[in-house]
Amino acid sequence: MKNLLLYLLLLGMLSSCGGKTSEYEADIIIYGGTSAAIIAAVQAKKAGKSVIVVSPDKHLGGLSAGGLGFTDTGDKSVIGGLARDFYHRIYLHYQDSAAWKWQHQSEYGNKGQGTPAIDGDSRTMWIFEPHVAESVFEDYVQEYAIDVRRDEWLDREKGVHKNDGKIASISTLSGHRYAGKVFIDATYEGDLLAAAGVNYHVGREANSVYGEKWNGVQVGVLHHGHWFKSDISPYKIPGDTTSQLLYGVSADFPGNYGEGDHRLQAYCFRMCLSNHPENRVPFSEPDNYKADNYELLARVFDAGWRETFQKFDPVPNRKTDTNNHGPFSTDFIGMNYDYPEASYERRKEIIQEHADYQQGLMYFLSNDIRVPDDVRNEMSQWGLAKDEFVDNGHWPHQLYIREARRMIGEYVMTEHDTFSERKIDNPVGMGSYVLDSHNAQRYIKPDGFVQNEGDIGVAPKQPYQISYGSLVPKREECTNLMVPVCLSSSHIAFGSIRMEPVFMILGESVATAAVLAIDQQIPVQDVNYAELEKRLLEQNQILSLSKK
């Protein structure tokens, strides 16, 4: 009898322990592992607040550490604060001769995107290898003792717990619960804001919504060089409309100019390639490889196109940040529309589909006899960089989510703001990059030939201000959430804002505002802008052209 009672007691204790959720608490809970997430955490810690980074990612830094090393700077003079500190730390790394393993620094060339890669005057460096960027983010974590919980995925269905219009805590699929005073959604997808019941938009708004010109369907608008400049038949048997369409071509009507739609600009992986014989992993035939998926590209080559290597942008040590270029390239056009709202399982499938497509493209370019000899011979000298992404088959761990959800907050940034046509009363950072959207669809023109649609590149007149109101939800939806990545913006304005330096700038700004909201026990919408501006300027943030 005594043994039975002891057994029942132990069983009760185990049952109660097994059903208990692990709970953690901090002043600020940041969801995401992006560059904005880590910079926000650094600023929170500098301000004396406790913070937990709840990161679905194992690797920190998002695209900045995921292959996008040829930084989209725009006007680098408006990049201040901790964002500039990040690029200063990159500079310091490459000042050590030991950092130049595969080439001498003098051989590098110092080419950047509209700026020298290495800016000795300001002691910043804007171009870098992926593993170097990741090491800088990890240095921040160690230096500021940031509590990072990796591989923690928000329970998107029932994991946001709200009281009186505020998030009290969030729960992850592992069963952990994180309570805080202010929450920051620093993901590329906007999963926390959506689960919190905050309003958002996916796709392109019609031009009529915000009185814009460059939003919505842009049929007939051909910017950059990412369109078919020759008449290419999209049919398996050229010219035969009764034969099947080639892979990747949609039979759907593309829409009328300026109409809104559900389509998203294309995603791709920013590959880090190497042509150093000792640091090159040759392209291998991927699973599910189908050479005919690239027949459209073979026809582009037959038409005389020879721009394959124009976006093999150099980063140190004989490596590249390889991006999309041309009518048929690394962008997997039209294959991401369901990604923002998809389940985690479906997103994993979409990411793998993008990897299969892009790895197949590299194998095709290196091996298929339909590829011109000069292209195939040069491509065969390239491969994945052996010393990058070593735990992922040397393949980037982050898909380039160029755009997913965008919050509809207190203020919506539009092209009018990026063109400095409206006055911003509460700027928390600046942007300057071209309003840049990649193609959203590949369709059949009325003349029966194939064309891409959605690629836009329109330059702002000057660096522009980003409103604090675009970082916070509407008051009635949530009063303690801030969003520095999937911020409140139209599609085309987001095309300029969505650059990694800007995400870091906004990450610092939301953390600074969160500290004020916590100290004064007020909604994030009520943060006094004069106080916020003062702190941001003290932190060397750039808020206007006159205060650079």
Side-chain angles (χ1 to χ4, degrees), residues 365-409:
L365 288 168
S366 304
N367 295 277
D368 200 286
I369 60 172
R370 288 172 289 180
V371 177
D373 290 345
D374 58 324
V375 175
R376 193 168 70 252
N377 291 338
E378 183 172 351
M379 184 62 73
S380 65
Q381 299 174 31
W382 290 94
L384 301 177
K386 187 182 295 184
D387 59 353
E388 298 290 349
F389 312 118
V390 294
D391 63 346
N392 197 44
H394 314 291
W395 191 255
H397 43 69
Q398 175 66 61
L399 180 63
Y400 194 173
I401 309 303
R402 289 189 170 94
E403 188 174 348
R405 298 183 180 96
R406 300 185 311 280
M407 178 174 66
I408 302 175

Short mmCIF file of all heavy atoms in Angstrom, two decimals, residues 365-409:
data_model
loop_
_atom_site.label_atom_id
_atom_site.label_comp_id
_atom_site.label_asym_id
_atom_site.label_seq_id
_atom_site.Cartn_x
_atom_site.Cartn_y
_atom_site.Cartn_z
N LEU A 365 23.66 25.75 -66.49
CA LEU A 365 24.61 26.69 -67.09
C LEU A 365 26.02 26.08 -67.20
O LEU A 365 26.78 26.44 -68.11
CB LEU A 365 24.67 27.97 -66.26
CG LEU A 365 23.46 28.88 -66.34
CD1 LEU A 365 23.51 29.95 -65.24
CD2 LEU A 365 23.36 29.54 -67.71
N SER A 366 26.35 25.17 -66.32
CA SER A 366 27.69 24.59 -66.29
C SER A 366 27.84 23.37 -67.20
O SER A 366 28.96 23.02 -67.57
CB SER A 366 28.06 24.17 -64.87
OG SER A 366 27.95 25.23 -63.97
N ASN A 367 26.69 22.74 -67.57
CA ASN A 367 26.80 21.43 -68.20
C ASN A 367 25.99 21.22 -69.47
O ASN A 367 26.34 20.33 -70.26
CB ASN A 367 26.40 20.35 -67.18
CG ASN A 367 27.32 20.27 -66.00
OD1 ASN A 367 28.36 19.62 -66.08
ND2 ASN A 367 26.95 20.91 -64.91
N ASP A 368 24.93 21.95 -69.66
CA ASP A 368 24.03 21.63 -70.77
C ASP A 368 24.58 22.14 -72.09
O ASP A 368 25.04 23.28 -72.19
CB ASP A 368 22.64 22.23 -70.50
CG ASP A 368 21.56 21.55 -71.31
OD1 ASP A 368 21.50 21.79 -72.53
OD2 ASP A 368 20.79 20.77 -70.73
N ILE A 369 24.50 21.30 -73.11
CA ILE A 369 25.06 21.67 -74.42
C ILE A 369 24.27 22.78 -75.09
O ILE A 369 24.76 23.38 -76.06
CB ILE A 369 25.14 20.44 -75.35
CG1 ILE A 369 23.74 19.85 -75.59
CG2 ILE A 369 26.10 19.40 -74.79
CD1 ILE A 369 23.72 18.76 -76.65
N ARG A 370 23.06 23.06 -74.60
CA ARG A 370 22.29 24.18 -75.16
C ARG A 370 22.84 25.53 -74.72
O ARG A 370 22.49 26.57 -75.28
CB ARG A 370 20.82 24.06 -74.77
CG ARG A 370 20.06 22.95 -75.47
CD ARG A 370 18.68 22.75 -74.90
NE ARG A 370 18.73 22.16 -73.56
CZ ARG A 370 17.67 21.88 -72.82
NH1 ARG A 370 16.46 22.17 -73.29
NH2 ARG A 370 17.81 21.33 -71.63
N VAL A 371 23.69 25.52 -73.71
CA VAL A 371 24.33 26.75 -73.24
C VAL A 371 25.54 27.04 -74.12
O VAL A 371 26.35 26.13 -74.37
CB VAL A 371 24.76 26.61 -71.76
CG1 VAL A 371 25.50 27.86 -71.29
CG2 VAL A 371 23.55 26.33 -70.89
N PRO A 372 25.70 28.25 -74.62
CA PRO A 372 26.85 28.56 -75.48
C PRO A 372 28.17 28.18 -74.82
O PRO A 372 28.33 28.28 -73.60
CB PRO A 372 26.74 30.07 -75.68
CG PRO A 372 25.29 30.37 -75.49
CD PRO A 372 24.81 29.42 -74.44
N ASP A 373 29.13 27.76 -75.63
CA ASP A 373 30.41 27.28 -75.10
C ASP A 373 31.09 28.30 -74.21
O ASP A 373 31.65 27.93 -73.16
CB ASP A 373 31.35 26.90 -76.26
CG ASP A 373 30.89 25.65 -77.00
OD1 ASP A 373 30.03 24.92 -76.47
OD2 ASP A 373 31.39 25.42 -78.12
N ASP A 374 31.07 29.59 -74.62
CA ASP A 374 31.79 30.59 -73.83
C ASP A 374 31.17 30.75 -72.44
O ASP A 374 31.88 30.91 -71.44
CB ASP A 374 31.83 31.93 -74.57
CG ASP A 374 30.44 32.47 -74.89
OD1 ASP A 374 29.54 31.67 -75.20
OD2 ASP A 374 30.25 33.71 -74.83
N VAL A 375 29.84 30.67 -72.37
CA VAL A 375 29.16 30.78 -71.08
C VAL A 375 29.40 29.53 -70.24
O VAL A 375 29.75 29.61 -69.06
CB VAL A 375 27.64 31.00 -71.27
CG1 VAL A 375 26.92 31.00 -69.93
CG2 VAL A 375 27.38 32.30 -72.03
N ARG A 376 29.25 28.38 -70.88
CA ARG A 376 29.41 27.12 -70.14
C ARG A 376 30.84 26.96 -69.63
O ARG A 376 31.06 26.52 -68.48
CB ARG A 376 29.05 25.94 -71.04
CG ARG A 376 28.88 24.63 -70.29
CD ARG A 376 28.24 23.56 -71.15
NE ARG A 376 29.11 23.09 -72.21
CZ ARG A 376 28.94 23.37 -73.50
NH1 ARG A 376 27.91 24.12 -73.89
NH2 ARG A 376 29.77 22.90 -74.41
N ASN A 377 31.82 27.33 -70.42
CA ASN A 377 33.21 27.20 -69.99
C ASN A 377 33.54 28.12 -68.83
O ASN A 377 34.25 27.74 -67.89
CB ASN A 377 34.15 27.49 -71.17
CG ASN A 377 34.09 26.41 -72.24
OD1 ASN A 377 33.68 25.28 -71.96
ND2 ASN A 377 34.47 26.75 -73.46
N GLU A 378 33.01 29.36 -68.88
CA GLU A 378 33.28 30.27 -67.76
C GLU A 378 32.53 29.83 -66.51
O GLU A 378 33.08 29.87 -65.40
CB GLU A 378 32.90 31.70 -68.13
CG GLU A 378 33.23 32.69 -67.02
CD GLU A 378 33.05 34.16 -67.41
OE1 GLU A 378 32.81 34.44 -68.60
OE2 GLU A 378 33.14 35.01 -66.51
N MET A 379 31.29 29.39 -66.68
CA MET A 379 30.52 28.97 -65.51
C MET A 379 31.16 27.77 -64.83
O MET A 379 31.10 27.64 -63.59
CB MET A 379 29.08 28.63 -65.93
CG MET A 379 28.16 28.29 -64.77
SD MET A 379 27.94 29.63 -63.58
CE MET A 379 26.89 30.73 -64.53
N SER A 380 31.79 26.92 -65.59
CA SER A 380 32.40 25.73 -65.00
C SER A 380 33.59 26.07 -64.11
O SER A 380 34.08 25.22 -63.36
CB SER A 380 32.83 24.75 -66.09
OG SER A 380 33.86 25.32 -66.89
N GLN A 381 34.07 27.32 -64.18
CA GLN A 381 35.16 27.75 -63.30
C GLN A 381 34.65 28.22 -61.94
O GLN A 381 35.45 28.47 -61.04
CB GLN A 381 35.94 28.89 -63.97
CG GLN A 381 36.59 28.50 -65.29
CD GLN A 381 37.23 29.69 -65.99
OE1 GLN A 381 37.70 30.61 -65.34
NE2 GLN A 381 37.22 29.67 -67.32
N TRP A 382 33.32 28.33 -61.82
CA TRP A 382 32.72 28.80 -60.58
C TRP A 382 32.09 27.64 -59.81
O TRP A 382 31.76 26.60 -60.38
CB TRP A 382 31.65 29.85 -60.86
CG TRP A 382 32.19 31.15 -61.35
CD1 TRP A 382 32.36 31.54 -62.65
CD2 TRP A 382 32.66 32.24 -60.54
NE1 TRP A 382 32.90 32.81 -62.70
CE2 TRP A 382 33.09 33.26 -61.43
CE3 TRP A 382 32.75 32.45 -59.18
CZ2 TRP A 382 33.60 34.47 -60.97
CZ3 TRP A 382 33.26 33.65 -58.72
CH2 TRP A 382 33.68 34.64 -59.61
N GLY A 383 31.90 27.86 -58.54
CA GLY A 383 31.19 26.89 -57.70
C GLY A 383 30.81 27.56 -56.40
O GLY A 383 31.10 28.74 -56.16
N LEU A 384 30.17 26.81 -55.53
CA LEU A 384 29.84 27.35 -54.22
C LEU A 384 31.11 27.52 -53.40
O LEU A 384 32.05 26.72 -53.51
CB LEU A 384 28.88 26.41 -53.50
CG LEU A 384 27.54 26.13 -54.20
CD1 LEU A 384 26.74 25.11 -53.40
CD2 LEU A 384 26.75 27.41 -54.40
N ALA A 385 31.15 28.58 -52.60
CA ALA A 385 32.32 28.84 -51.76
C ALA A 385 32.38 27.79 -50.65
O ALA A 385 31.45 27.66 -49.85
CB ALA A 385 32.27 30.24 -51.18
N LYS A 386 33.49 27.06 -50.59
CA LYS A 386 33.62 25.93 -49.67
C LYS A 386 33.60 26.37 -48.20
O LYS A 386 33.15 25.63 -47.33
CB LYS A 386 34.92 25.18 -49.96
CG LYS A 386 35.09 23.89 -49.17
CD LYS A 386 36.44 23.23 -49.47
CE LYS A 386 36.53 22.79 -50.92
NZ LYS A 386 37.80 22.06 -51.19
N ASP A 387 34.05 27.58 -47.93
CA ASP A 387 34.13 28.03 -46.53
C ASP A 387 32.93 28.88 -46.11
O ASP A 387 32.97 29.52 -45.07
CB ASP A 387 35.43 28.80 -46.29
CG ASP A 387 35.58 30.03 -47.18
OD1 ASP A 387 34.74 30.24 -48.08
OD2 ASP A 387 36.54 30.80 -46.97
N GLU A 388 31.86 28.86 -46.88
CA GLU A 388 30.62 29.56 -46.51
C GLU A 388 29.49 28.56 -46.30
O GLU A 388 29.42 27.54 -46.99
CB GLU A 388 30.22 30.57 -47.58
CG GLU A 388 31.24 31.68 -47.83
CD GLU A 388 31.35 32.68 -46.69
OE1 GLU A 388 30.49 32.65 -45.78
OE2 GLU A 388 32.29 33.49 -46.72
N PHE A 389 28.60 28.87 -45.36
CA PHE A 389 27.41 28.05 -45.09
C PHE A 389 27.79 26.57 -44.95
O PHE A 389 27.19 25.69 -45.57
CB PHE A 389 26.37 28.25 -46.20
CG PHE A 389 26.10 29.68 -46.55
CD1 PHE A 389 26.37 30.17 -47.83
CD2 PHE A 389 25.60 30.57 -45.62
CE1 PHE A 389 26.15 31.49 -48.16
CE2 PHE A 389 25.36 31.90 -45.94
CZ PHE A 389 25.64 32.37 -47.21
N VAL A 390 28.81 26.33 -44.14
CA VAL A 390 29.41 25.00 -44.08
C VAL A 390 28.48 23.95 -43.49
O VAL A 390 28.68 22.75 -43.72
CB VAL A 390 30.73 25.05 -43.29
CG1 VAL A 390 31.77 25.88 -44.02
CG2 VAL A 390 30.51 25.60 -41.87
N ASP A 391 27.46 24.38 -42.74
CA ASP A 391 26.52 23.40 -42.17
C ASP A 391 25.28 23.23 -43.03
O ASP A 391 24.32 22.57 -42.63
CB ASP A 391 26.12 23.80 -40.75
CG ASP A 391 25.37 25.13 -40.70
OD1 ASP A 391 25.39 25.87 -41.71
OD2 ASP A 391 24.76 25.43 -39.65
N ASN A 392 25.28 23.83 -44.23
CA ASN A 392 24.10 23.77 -45.11
C ASN A 392 24.50 23.44 -46.54
O ASN A 392 23.88 23.93 -47.48
CB ASN A 392 23.34 25.10 -45.04
CG ASN A 392 21.93 25.00 -45.57
OD1 ASN A 392 21.22 24.05 -45.26
ND2 ASN A 392 21.51 25.97 -46.38
N GLY A 393 25.54 22.62 -46.70
CA GLY A 393 25.98 22.26 -48.04
C GLY A 393 26.49 23.42 -48.84
O GLY A 393 26.45 23.41 -50.07
N HIS A 394 26.97 24.47 -48.14
CA HIS A 394 27.52 25.69 -48.75
C HIS A 394 26.46 26.52 -49.46
O HIS A 394 26.79 27.42 -50.23
CB HIS A 394 28.67 25.34 -49.72
CG HIS A 394 29.64 24.36 -49.14
ND1 HIS A 394 30.48 24.68 -48.10
CD2 HIS A 394 29.86 23.05 -49.42
CE1 HIS A 394 31.19 23.61 -47.77
NE2 HIS A 394 30.84 22.61 -48.55
N TRP A 395 25.21 26.22 -49.16
CA TRP A 395 24.08 26.94 -49.75
C TRP A 395 23.55 27.94 -48.72
O TRP A 395 23.48 27.64 -47.53
CB TRP A 395 22.98 25.96 -50.15
CG TRP A 395 21.91 26.59 -50.99
CD1 TRP A 395 20.65 26.93 -50.60
CD2 TRP A 395 22.02 26.97 -52.37
NE1 TRP A 395 19.96 27.50 -51.65
CE2 TRP A 395 20.78 27.53 -52.76
CE3 TRP A 395 23.03 26.88 -53.32
CZ2 TRP A 395 20.53 28.01 -54.03
CZ3 TRP A 395 22.78 27.37 -54.60
CH2 TRP A 395 21.55 27.92 -54.94
N PRO A 396 23.15 29.15 -49.13
CA PRO A 396 22.66 30.15 -48.18
C PRO A 396 21.52 29.60 -47.32
O PRO A 396 20.64 28.90 -47.81
CB PRO A 396 22.19 31.30 -49.08
CG PRO A 396 22.99 31.15 -50.33
CD PRO A 396 23.18 29.68 -50.52
N HIS A 397 21.56 29.97 -46.04
CA HIS A 397 20.52 29.50 -45.13
C HIS A 397 19.31 30.41 -45.12
O HIS A 397 18.31 30.12 -44.46
CB HIS A 397 21.06 29.35 -43.71
CG HIS A 397 21.95 30.47 -43.26
ND1 HIS A 397 21.49 31.74 -43.01
CD2 HIS A 397 23.28 30.50 -43.04
CE1 HIS A 397 22.50 32.50 -42.64
NE2 HIS A 397 23.60 31.79 -42.65
N GLN A 398 19.38 31.53 -45.85
CA GLN A 398 18.27 32.48 -45.85
C GLN A 398 17.81 32.77 -47.27
O GLN A 398 18.59 33.26 -48.09
CB GLN A 398 18.69 33.79 -45.18
CG GLN A 398 17.65 34.90 -45.22
CD GLN A 398 16.41 34.58 -44.42
OE1 GLN A 398 16.48 34.39 -43.21
NE2 GLN A 398 15.27 34.52 -45.07
N LEU A 399 16.57 32.44 -47.59
CA LEU A 399 15.97 32.85 -48.85
C LEU A 399 15.71 34.35 -48.80
O LEU A 399 15.32 34.89 -47.76
CB LEU A 399 14.66 32.09 -49.07
CG LEU A 399 13.88 32.38 -50.36
CD1 LEU A 399 14.67 31.99 -51.60
CD2 LEU A 399 12.53 31.64 -50.34
N TYR A 400 15.89 35.02 -49.93
CA TYR A 400 15.69 36.47 -49.98
C TYR A 400 14.19 36.75 -50.06
O TYR A 400 13.61 36.77 -51.13
CB TYR A 400 16.42 37.05 -51.19
CG TYR A 400 16.58 38.57 -51.17
CD1 TYR A 400 17.37 39.20 -52.14
CD2 TYR A 400 15.98 39.38 -50.22
CE1 TYR A 400 17.54 40.58 -52.14
CE2 TYR A 400 16.14 40.74 -50.21
CZ TYR A 400 16.92 41.34 -51.18
OH TYR A 400 17.08 42.70 -51.18
N ILE A 401 13.61 36.99 -48.89
CA ILE A 401 12.18 37.33 -48.81
C ILE A 401 12.09 38.83 -49.07
O ILE A 401 12.08 39.65 -48.15
CB ILE A 401 11.59 36.97 -47.43
CG1 ILE A 401 11.92 35.53 -47.06
CG2 ILE A 401 10.08 37.20 -47.42
CD1 ILE A 401 11.46 34.49 -48.04
N ARG A 402 12.01 39.18 -50.33
CA ARG A 402 12.05 40.62 -50.68
C ARG A 402 10.84 41.37 -50.15
O ARG A 402 10.91 42.57 -49.89
CB ARG A 402 12.15 40.78 -52.20
CG ARG A 402 13.50 40.40 -52.78
CD ARG A 402 13.61 40.80 -54.24
NE ARG A 402 14.98 40.64 -54.70
CZ ARG A 402 15.47 39.55 -55.30
NH1 ARG A 402 14.66 38.53 -55.52
NH2 ARG A 402 16.72 39.49 -55.70
N GLU A 403 9.74 40.65 -49.99
CA GLU A 403 8.51 41.31 -49.55
C GLU A 403 7.53 40.23 -49.13
O GLU A 403 7.41 39.20 -49.81
CB GLU A 403 7.94 42.14 -50.70
CG GLU A 403 6.79 43.02 -50.37
CD GLU A 403 6.40 43.92 -51.56
OE1 GLU A 403 7.17 43.99 -52.53
OE2 GLU A 403 5.33 44.51 -51.48
N ALA A 404 6.86 40.42 -48.03
CA ALA A 404 5.83 39.47 -47.58
C ALA A 404 4.62 40.28 -47.10
O ALA A 404 4.02 41.00 -47.88
CB ALA A 404 6.39 38.55 -46.50
N ARG A 405 4.33 40.19 -45.81
CA ARG A 405 3.29 41.06 -45.27
C ARG A 405 3.84 42.47 -45.07
O ARG A 405 5.04 42.65 -44.83
CB ARG A 405 2.80 40.55 -43.92
CG ARG A 405 2.15 39.18 -43.94
CD ARG A 405 1.65 38.86 -42.54
NE ARG A 405 1.00 37.56 -42.45
CZ ARG A 405 1.60 36.44 -42.04
NH1 ARG A 405 2.89 36.49 -41.71
NH2 ARG A 405 0.94 35.31 -41.96
N ARG A 406 2.97 43.47 -45.16
CA ARG A 406 3.32 44.84 -44.79
C ARG A 406 2.20 45.38 -43.91
O ARG A 406 1.03 45.39 -44.31
CB ARG A 406 3.50 45.73 -46.03
CG ARG A 406 4.58 45.26 -46.98
CD ARG A 406 4.80 46.26 -48.12
NE ARG A 406 3.55 46.67 -48.74
CZ ARG A 406 2.88 45.95 -49.65
NH1 ARG A 406 3.34 44.78 -50.03
NH2 ARG A 406 1.75 46.39 -50.16
N MET A 407 2.56 45.79 -42.73
CA MET A 407 1.57 46.32 -41.78
C MET A 407 0.86 47.54 -42.35
O MET A 407 1.45 48.31 -43.13
CB MET A 407 2.29 46.69 -40.48
CG MET A 407 1.41 47.28 -39.40
SD MET A 407 2.29 47.52 -37.84
CE MET A 407 3.50 48.78 -38.30
N ILE A 408 -0.38 47.71 -41.98
CA ILE A 408 -1.12 48.96 -42.24
C ILE A 408 -1.25 49.65 -40.89
O ILE A 408 -2.13 49.35 -40.09
CB ILE A 408 -2.49 48.69 -42.87
CG1 ILE A 408 -2.34 47.90 -44.18
CG2 ILE A 408 -3.22 50.02 -43.14
CD1 ILE A 408 -3.66 47.49 -44.82
N GLY A 409 -0.32 50.56 -40.61
CA GLY A 409 -0.19 51.13 -39.29
C GLY A 409 -0.74 52.54 -39.16
O GLY A 409 -1.58 52.99 -39.95
#
